[in-house]
């Protein structure tokens, strides 16, 4: 539990905006924005290639994300549109036709978005969190249990596989061996 207390847990929220048409150059995978407040709509991820639809996802992190989570969806989308219109000052930016706002800090099952090594923590805390308990019967997976892929979805996937493989080895080593088959004598 001490390792859990030392590891930081941050928040990265997204505002996903779908538009009638693509008004931005869809060849660029991301659109950067120099926000006044750190963490506020600092990057727009272009999802056209992955969805086939005119969709941008704005990233909001840290204290800015925590404040944003107390706002209504309409207020959050409006703030996002102000940032987007400041990037595209020389062309009209339409209102979105649909939007989704995440609130990871408020989610009772998540409580945040990603882990990080904060002041006073070390990679050994992550290794301690990843260590199996109860004689190896209880294992932990998730992005907080890997020192090489911390704070990432692929870290969560890879550690899930790691734990599945570890449990498979544990089960196969302790499973009773089947008796040799009795072949008929001819």
């Amino acid at each position: 539990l001490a390792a859990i207390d030392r590891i930081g847990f941050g928040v990265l929220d997204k505002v996903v905006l779908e538009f009638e048409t693509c008004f931005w150059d869809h060849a660029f995978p991301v659109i950067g924005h120099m926000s006044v407040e750190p963490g506020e709509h600092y990057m727009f991820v272009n999802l056209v290639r992955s969805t086939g639809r005119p969709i941008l996802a704005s990233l909001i992190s840290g204290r800015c994300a925590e404040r944003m989570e107390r706002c209504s969806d309409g207020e959050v989308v409006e703030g996002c549109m102000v940032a987007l219109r400041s990037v595209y000052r020389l062309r009209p930016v339409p209102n979105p036709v649909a939007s989704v706002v995440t609130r990871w800090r408020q989610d009772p099952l998540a409580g945040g978005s990603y882990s990080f090594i904060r002041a006073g923590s070390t990679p050994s805390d992550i290794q301690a969190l990843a260590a199996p308990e109860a004689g190896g019967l209880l294992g932990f997976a998730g992005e907080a249990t890997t020192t090489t892929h911390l704070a990432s979805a692929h870290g969560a996937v890879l550690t899930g596989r790691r734990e599945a493989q570890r449990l498979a080895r544990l089960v196969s080593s302790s499973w009773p061996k089947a008796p040799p088959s009795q072949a008929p004598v001819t």
Side-chain angles (χ1 to χ4, degrees):
L1 292 178
I4 292 172
D5 290 337
R6 284 190 298 271
I7 295 172
F9 197 47
V11 61
L12 176 69
D13 282 315
K14 295 178 183 75
V15 181
V16 182
L17 305 169
E18 182 171 6
F19 295 92
E20 187 82 32
T21 60
C22 188
F23 62 86
W24 61 93
D25 184 346
H26 57 83
F28 294 110
V30 296
I31 302 161
H33 173 246
M34 184 63 84
S35 57
V36 174
E37 184 177 355
E40 182 180 29
H41 306 293
Y42 61 91
M43 182 186 305
F44 292 86
V45 180
N46 180 359
L47 299 176
V48 171
R49 283 187 179 169
S50 60
T51 66
R53 296 162 47 194
I55 297 175
L56 291 173
S58 171
L59 305 183
I60 309 168
S61 64
R63 290 185 184 104
C64 186
E66 290 174 356
R67 279 193 301 280
M68 178 277 304
E69 288 194 10
R70 295 189 296 271
C71 298
S72 70
D73 283 4
E75 292 169 318
V76 173
V77 169
E78 183 54 37
C80 187
M81 293 306 299
V82 167
L84 197 53
R85 287 180 175 126
S86 76
V87 172
Y88 291 100
R89 290 185 298 267
L90 302 178
R91 67 175 81 165
V93 176
N95 287 325
V97 295
S99 62
V100 174
V101 177
T102 66
R103 289 181 171 81
W104 288 109
R105 180 70 78 207
Q106 291 181 10
D107 186 310
L109 299 177
S113 309
Y114 64 92
S115 301
F116 63 94
I117 299 175
R118 73 168 146 202
S121 180
T122 67
S124 63
D125 290 320
I126 295 166
Q127 292 163 342
L129 185 58
E133 297 287 335
L137 297 176
L138 177 62
F140 299 95
E143 52 81 27
T145 66
T146 174
T147 57
T148 56
H149 300 290
L150 187 67
S152 67
H154 61 278
V157 170
L158 292 173
T159 59
R161 289 179 181 162
R162 177 196 68 206
E163 289 305 303
Q165 290 167 352
R166 187 187 60 74
L167 288 172
R169 285 190 304 273
L170 180 68
V171 168
S172 67
S173 69
S174 62
W175 201 261
K177 303 292 185 227
S181 63
Q182 298 279 324
V185 179
T186 56

